[in-house]
Amino acid sequence: MVTPVPRIQAPGAAAKGEVFQVKAIISHPMETGLRHDEQGTPIPRVIINTFRCRYNDEVVFSVELHEAVAANPYLEFYLRATQTGRLEFVWEEDGGGLYTLSHDITVS
Amino acid sequence: MVDKTVRQIWGMGLTRRGALMTAAGWASLSLVTRSHADDEVDDVVKQLIGRSAIESDRIRLSMPRVFPNGYTVPLALQVDSPMTSADHVKQVHVLAPRNPIVEVATFHFVPERSRPQVSTRIRLAVPQFVVAVAAMNDDALLMAKTWVEVATNGCS
């Protein structure tokens, strides 16, 4: 499998109390485990099963994903700007693979 | 005479819905399968979340009514909530009762920190109701559902 590449789009600055949008996507086939190859052998399930967003070490948004989330899972969500700091994003794959990104935000 | 006929019908193991469906004929078939889908939604919610949810306009689930392929159907949902510690959404479950695997995703929100609004893209195997159930901090379960027609199976 090609190594999944995560991407984030979020503002670099926000006013205190403001709600801002975050877009998160990772290139990933989200193999459901329901398919067979040409020989009829089942293709094992490999999906991103969890997404977590921490804001200065506190989990502020998370998702449990199942097989029916489309390939290259895309998430658009909204956070409140509370203080200057770091957003950390983690995508967890079946089998324990982790893909991470961070994004700094200045809150004034 | 009528009574006897009715008894015979029940005796044949037909359900009331089955009898009605026969009577209504093919013209309203899609209507009947949809009302069957309503019961299915309740059953699935009870099975996976543990109890029934109440349909509420505080939760909005937006999806296209018709979409050409089932591989990547846009989904947006939003819950009206002040997101204070006293009154907030804990999580929202998304279910597709006619997919081979019914659970689609569960979104967890945090009071004062995240807004209960999210967009993503999902796979649908067949035309069906997609269901969103919001679990509130006071244990209320609010539900919204929307019928989506897909032309190709997104789960194969």
Side-chain angles (χ1 to χ4, degrees):
Chain A
M1 191 175 79
V2 182
T3 307
V5 179
R7 275 187 299 149
I8 284 291
Q9 207 179 88
K16 193 174 171 67
E18 186 188 334
V19 172
F20 61 92
Q21 185 191 60
V22 179
K23 292 178 179 177
I25 192 166
I26 184 165
S27 57
H28 196 284
M30 294 292 278
E31 188 60 63
T32 59
L34 300 173
R35 300 194 312 149
H36 295 76
D37 66 15
E38 281 157 13
Q39 281 74 46
T41 317
I43 304 172
R45 186 185 111 154
V46 183
I47 67 169
I48 296 290
N49 57 50
T50 310
F51 170 80
R52 225 173 261 115
C53 171
R54 287 193 183 81
Y55 188 160
N56 288 346
D57 296 327
E58 209 181 318
V59 175
V60 289
F61 175 75
S62 66
V63 186
E64 290 149 45
L65 301 89
H66 299 277
E67 294 83 345
V69 174
N72 306 320
Y74 170 76
L75 295 164
E76 196 179 293
F77 55 96
Y78 296 84
L79 302 178
R80 185 172 299 280
T82 49
Q83 74 244 89
T84 294
R86 176 161 289 189
L87 296 168
E88 286 170 306
F89 306 92
V90 182
W91 289 260
E92 268 181 55
E93 188 183 56
D94 288 348
L98 292 180
Y99 306 95
T100 61
L101 267 187
S102 63
H103 178 91
D104 291 335
I105 184 163
T106 306
V107 174
S108 52
Chain B
M1 177 67 183
V2 173
D3 266 11
K4 200 177 165 197
T5 319
V6 169
R7 246 179 281 124
Q8 275 171 348
I9 290 175
W10 297 131
M12 284 157 64
L14 272 180
T15 60
R16 181 184 295 268
R17 187 182 298 120
L20 284 173
M21 196 167 148
T22 315
W26 292 101
S28 57
L29 185 65
S30 80
L31 209 87
V32 175
T33 53
R34 267 223 222 182
S35 77
H36 176 64
D38 275 331
D39 294 350
E40 208 173 73
V41 165
D42 286 342
D43 290 348
V44 154
V45 168
K46 269 189 227 157
Q47 214 177 78
L48 291 173
I49 302 171
R51 57 204 165 88
S52 293
I54 304 156
E55 290 210 61
S56 164
D57 51 17
R58 285 182 63 195
I59 174 166
R60 286 182 302 282
L61 176 62
S62 315
M63 297 188 70
R65 216 153 48 81
V66 179
F67 204 71
N69 82 72
Y71 286 102
T72 173
V73 189
L75 174 152
L77 65 85
Q78 191 171 2
V79 187
D80 289 333
S81 166
M83 289 306 279
T84 57
S85 57
D87 181 1
H88 60 268
V89 183
K90 291 195 294 186
Q91 65 244 3
V92 179
H93 305 273
V94 175
L95 309 173
R98 292 189 177 177
N99 269 7
I101 295 163
V102 171
E103 288 176 287
V104 176
T106 301
F107 303 96
H108 298 263
F109 302 97
V110 178
E112 316 287 355
R113 305 305 298 272
S114 44
R115 186 157 87 183
Q117 178 179 358
V118 71
S119 297
T120 188
R121 297 190 285 241
I122 70 167
R123 292 164 166 156
L124 293 176
V126 291
Q128 60 185 303
F129 277 120
V130 175
V131 186
V133 178
M136 314 299 283
N137 67 304
D138 65 357
D139 287 339
L141 290 179
L142 310 181
M143 181 178 89
K145 62 179 194 282
T146 183
W147 184 264
V148 183
E149 296 274 344
V150 288
T152 57
N153 181 346
C155 297
S156 62

